[in-house]
Amino acid sequence: MTLILYGIPNCDTVKKARNWLMANGVAYEFHDYKKAGIDAARLKAWSGKLGWEKVLNRASSTFKGLPDEAKQGLDEAGAIALMMAQPSMIKRPIFEKDGQITAGFKPDSAELKALLI
């Protein structure tokens, strides 16, 4: 199965990941959240494997710009609803291959290396 990199093209971390993959000859498919969207079932599956707290990008300017009442008492369902409405709130990048996933980009991470085998 092909490695899929999920993200948005103007994200600096996604750009670094894509450049690293190309420089290392790793074939991948790019899924642009902004153009292709993302479905609730996939976000729920990711949340089940990684935890919704890791899938939700609380460091994004989009999340930080939310009113305080939208951030308080957040649970998985609420986080998924936020990420569906604003894909910029999804951690970037997310790599997926053969049902395995990892979030974020650290080229020497064991999780990413395991996906590339």
Side-chain angles (χ1 to χ4, degrees):
M1 182 177 228
T2 303
L3 176 72
I4 303 172
L5 184 155
Y6 293 85
I8 55 177
N10 63 337
C11 170
D12 288 339
T13 307
V14 169
K15 288 178 188 176
K16 288 176 192 173
R18 294 179 81 182
N19 289 336
W20 185 88
L21 291 169
M22 287 192 320
N24 286 278
V26 178
Y28 70 97
E29 181 181 313
F30 180 64
H31 180 101
D32 182 345
Y33 294 135
K34 296 276 184 157
K35 289 184 180 175
I38 193 77
D39 58 62
R42 185 164 308 279
L43 289 171
K44 181 123 176 100
W46 290 350
S47 295
K49 289 183 178 184
L50 298 174
W52 67 266
E53 298 89 345
K54 189 166 184 178
V55 178
L56 178 65
N57 184 4
R58 292 177 187 259
S60 75
S61 56
T62 306
F63 183 81
K64 289 178 180 178
L66 290 174
D68 287 339
E69 57 271 8
K71 299 178 203 176
Q72 294 174 351
L74 205 52
D75 60 7
E76 181 182 33
I80 288 173
L82 287 175
M83 291 184 281
M84 292 286 301
Q86 293 289 332
S88 296
M89 286 191 247
I90 304 169
K91 178 75 173 174
R92 302 179 301 263
I94 289 187
F95 297 94
E96 183 176 41
K97 183 180 178 188
D98 297 331
Q100 300 298 315
I101 63 168
T102 187
F105 175 66
K106 291 188 173 131
D108 52 351
S109 76
E111 293 87 3
L112 181 58
K113 287 180 182 179
L115 284 178
L116 301 179
I117 297 174

